[in-house]
Amino acid sequence: MTYDPLTEARALALPSRESMLQRAPSVKRFWDTNTHLLTEAWRAWETSEESPNFEPDTSLLDPKLREAVEQAWLDPTKEVAVQDLWEEVSAGVYQAQFFDPERLADLREYLEAVADAGIPTRPPYGIALNRHGAMLDPRSEGYLAAPAFQAFYRQVMDQYMRPIARLLFPDVMGYDSQTFGFSIQYQVGIDTSLQPHTDASAATLNINMNLPDESFAGSEVDFYDRVSGEVKRITFKPGTAMLHRGNIPHAAHPITSGTRSNMVLWLYGDRMQIPVAGQHIEQVDAKLRWTIPADEADKFAPF
């Protein structure tokens, strides 16, 4: 009998939502036992007729950002053009156009095909939100292992998020060798709010994936300035991203209409180390910012 990982993966009985929320030992056993099968299933899906004739790549990103980043990789002294694209909308919180709004439909259609593939994926743990979403990083159980998506994810982390975070937050340098990511959707009647919290990251990139005509109301994000005590309320627009240190307190308001789709990406150091507030910051040459760490990926994941 021919081995068919796609059919076998689709036949798996997922753990219950309750057991996943409780992180029952049986849930970890399920993902650990089926890691190889799920990886092979995603590989098979990607080469099947069911897979969309589209592979996500950096052409999805905002043209100005893409051009500035590409030039900085060629000549790091030109990194100021990247910095100029990021507006500080609250103390230590920067916002920029990340995805090209005209290309978001391509990405969303790809992710819809992924959701319809019937291959089990693990939703994010530890978030008081609905479970519509997926883990994106290979260190996470049940992650989205489609090879084309993983290549895109790695490009975004290595070529964009890490050097930009280093540029805006010099103390991140040395605490950015490890990556983490998930997707999530905020829905009316399910998401009441996300209480004030900080992230277990050195830097967080929160990217909105709503289409230009896909409106929503509510779901604003409050950022708290520890020094002044001020609160800035920020609204996502299609394809925009917010980049901030993980230790900046923030909270999401309830969504009141529509849906908000986001991709959330984190950077941190080996064994989840993050910078200590107030520590001395070493000045580094621009060339060092535009490099990829040689550290191997560890197995530590926040949730």
Side-chain angles (χ1 to χ4, degrees):
M1 185 175 179
T2 304
Y3 173 58
D4 183 353
L6 189 52
T7 299
E8 289 193 24
R10 287 170 170 166
L12 291 172
L14 272 170
S16 68
R17 180 175 183 270
E18 290 71 22
S19 63
M20 284 196 283
L21 288 174
Q22 295 169 5
R23 305 194 199 188
S26 59
V27 174
K28 179 171 176 52
R29 284 197 300 272
F30 172 85
W31 296 115
D32 289 347
T33 300
N34 294 298
T35 296
H36 178 73
L37 171 61
L38 295 174
T39 301
E40 291 301 308
W42 281 116
R43 192 179 302 278
W45 174 80
E46 197 163 89
T47 58
S48 72
E49 294 182 357
E50 300 176 26
S51 178
N53 186 26
F54 170 78
E55 292 187 358
D57 59 29
T58 55
S59 68
L60 294 168
L61 273 62
D62 175 71
K64 291 181 180 179
L65 179 64
R66 187 172 67 249
E67 173 64 19
V69 166
E70 288 176 354
Q71 289 302 312
W73 276 104
L74 294 172
D75 180 0
T77 64
K78 295 182 178 180
E79 65 181 7
V80 65
V82 178
Q83 186 169 6
D84 287 345
L85 294 173
W86 292 84
E87 177 188 3
E88 190 171 18
V89 293
S90 183
V93 180
Y94 292 82
Q95 188 173 47
Q97 192 69 41
F98 196 85
F99 285 126
D100 181 350
E102 300 303 315
R103 296 295 311 282
L104 275 170
D106 294 331
L107 178 58
R108 288 289 299 279
E109 286 175 9
Y110 173 83
L111 293 174
E112 286 298 323
V114 163
D116 292 339
I119 303 172
T121 54
R122 179 171 80 76
Y125 289 141
I127 302 176
L129 301 170
N130 69 80
R131 301 299 134 187
H132 184 93
M135 308 309 297
L136 307 179
D137 197 284
R139 66 173 25 83
S140 298
E141 304 159 340
Y143 75 101
L144 173 53
F149 181 84
Q150 282 301 308
F152 171 64
Y153 171 77
R154 188 52 50 197
Q155 281 184 305
V156 169
M157 302 301 289
D158 288 345
Q159 298 178 19
Y160 287 81
M161 182 180 178
R162 185 182 292 109
I164 295 172
R166 290 173 171 179
L167 178 60
L168 299 177
F169 312 121
D171 56 323
V172 163
M173 191 82 178
Y175 297 92
D176 56 9
S177 59
Q178 307 298 325
T179 58
F180 179 70
F182 60 94
S183 61
I184 196 75
Q185 189 176 86
Y186 301 75
Q187 298 179 353
V188 178
I190 299 176
D191 305 314
T192 55
S193 66
L194 187 58
Q195 297 301 316
H197 66 284
T198 58
D199 298 334
S201 67
T204 295
L205 181 67
N206 195 338
I207 316 167
N208 179 258
M209 296 190 296
N210 279 57
L211 304 180
D213 61 351
E214 192 176 23
S215 62
F216 62 90
S219 202
E220 305 92 345
V221 181
D222 286 347
F223 287 94
Y224 299 82
D225 184 339
R226 294 180 186 273
V227 176
S228 69
E230 292 183 345
V231 177
K232 290 290 182 66
R233 186 162 297 174
I234 312 298
T235 301
F236 278 104
K237 295 180 180 179
T240 59
M242 296 181 198
L243 180 59
H244 58 86
R245 292 182 179 88
N247 65 5
I248 291 185
H250 53 286
H253 286 262
I255 189 166
T256 55
S257 69
T259 61
R260 174 160 74 88
S261 298
N262 278 58
M263 184 181 295
V264 182
L265 308 177
W266 288 5
L267 292 171
Y268 47 78
D270 294 340
R271 296 177 177 269
M272 294 183 59
Q273 295 181 71
I274 60 175
V276 177
Q279 70 180 26
H280 175 69
I281 301 174
E282 296 285 346
Q283 296 298 316
V284 300
D285 186 89
K287 290 181 180 179
L288 291 178
R289 278 192 283 274
W290 296 87
T291 58
I292 298 173
D295 308 55
E296 293 185 4
D298 63 28
K299 300 297 183 182
F300 291 85
F303 52 83

